[in-house]
């Protein structure tokens, strides 16, 4: 069971390796799923970008609330937000998109002062200092999804994003970026 969030989640693996998260009475979770499905359906290639970024985060060890890192949901919001604020950056070719995605979050964004808001589709000024990664939950706007990150984990996450962007700029292949 994953207990890193506010709602208990039972993590199951079905025969064949299909992973399923099960919660009971989680209306906000249903609303979040519907929101993300609608947003991703509006942009060809965005679903692939979400999968690739989440897989990268998993391989680099920077995903999972139970481990003290950003959740898969939060990584999805980061992908969606990048697309909102940079709609002219085509998702394909994906390699170029990833270069800009990692550059935006590791270099351009001022995490000490700014917060990601998919709900508003723009960067917001933080009202109070806090975690290095401030990501507003669009369904529960008072909830900062980055608040669970310790300073060490926030630094590791930013460093991994910086390294990924740099390796992509150097022309490294994707397996090298993930390895």
């Amino acid at each position: 069971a994953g207990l890193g969030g506010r709602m208990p989640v039972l993590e199951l693996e079905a025969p064949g390796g299909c992973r399923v998260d099960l919660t009971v009475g989680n209306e906000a979770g249903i609303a979040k799923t519907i929101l993300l499905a609608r947003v991703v359906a509006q942009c060809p290639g965005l679903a692939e970008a979400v999968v690739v970024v989440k897989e990268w985060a998993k391989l680099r060890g920077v995903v999972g609330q139970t481990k003290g890192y950003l959740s898969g949901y939060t990584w999805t919001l980061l992908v969606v937000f990048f697309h909102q604020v940079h709609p002219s950056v085509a998702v394909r070719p994906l390699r170029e998109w990833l270069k800009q995605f990692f550059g935006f979050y590791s270099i351009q964004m001022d995490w000490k002062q700014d917060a990601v808001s998919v709900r508003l589709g723009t960067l917001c000024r933080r009202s109070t200092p806090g975690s290095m990664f401030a990501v507003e939950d669009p369904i529960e706007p008072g909830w900062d999804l980055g608040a669970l990150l310790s300073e060490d984990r926030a630094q590791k996450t930013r460093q991994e994003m910086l390294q990924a962007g740099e390796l992509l700029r150097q022309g490294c292949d994707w397996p090298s970026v993930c390895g």
Side-chain angles (χ1 to χ4, degrees):
L3 300 174
R6 295 176 297 160
M7 179 68 68
V9 176
L10 180 61
E11 299 169 349
L12 305 169
E13 187 168 330
C18 179
R19 296 178 62 183
V20 178
D21 291 347
L22 177 67
T23 65
V24 176
N26 187 1
E27 285 127 23
I30 293 168
K32 292 172 187 185
T33 300
I34 291 168
L35 170 74
L36 293 178
R38 286 182 180 156
V39 169
V40 169
Q42 293 174 2
C43 177
L46 202 56
E48 180 185 5
V50 167
V51 170
V52 168
V53 168
K54 286 171 63 175
E55 183 63 20
W56 167 84
K58 180 180 176 184
L59 292 169
R60 299 307 303 157
V62 292
V63 67
Q65 284 181 305
T66 57
K67 298 174 186 167
Y69 287 98
L70 300 176
S71 68
Y73 171 64
T74 306
W75 281 105
T76 301
L77 291 175
L78 291 174
V79 169
V80 168
F81 182 76
F82 178 74
H83 178 68
Q84 285 179 315
V85 297
H86 295 290
S88 63
V89 178
V91 179
R92 293 193 179 97
L94 187 56
R95 178 185 184 76
E96 184 58 34
W97 185 91
L98 287 165
K99 227 189 301 190
Q100 294 197 35
F101 171 83
F102 288 121
F104 173 74
Y105 285 118
S106 64
I107 298 169
Q108 296 170 345
M109 185 151 170
D110 183 354
W111 283 104
K112 297 289 184 188
Q113 295 187 29
D114 294 331
V116 166
S117 175
V118 167
R119 179 178 58 90
L120 300 174
T122 186
L123 285 174
C124 300
R125 280 290 189 217
R126 296 173 68 129
S127 55
T128 58
S131 68
M132 186 169 159
F133 285 82
V135 181
E136 176 194 64
D137 187 326
I139 301 299
E140 301 176 272
W143 183 245
D144 176 3
L145 297 166
L148 65 93
L149 280 175
S150 67
E151 188 64 31
D152 292 4
R153 285 186 170 83
Q155 287 294 344
K156 177 176 172 34
T157 301
R158 183 176 179 274
Q159 186 59 41
E160 290 292 343
M161 294 174 97
L162 196 62
Q163 179 180 332
E166 183 58 33
L167 290 172
L168 287 166
R169 280 188 291 284
Q170 292 172 7
C172 292
D173 63 0
W174 186 243
S176 298
V177 173
C178 293

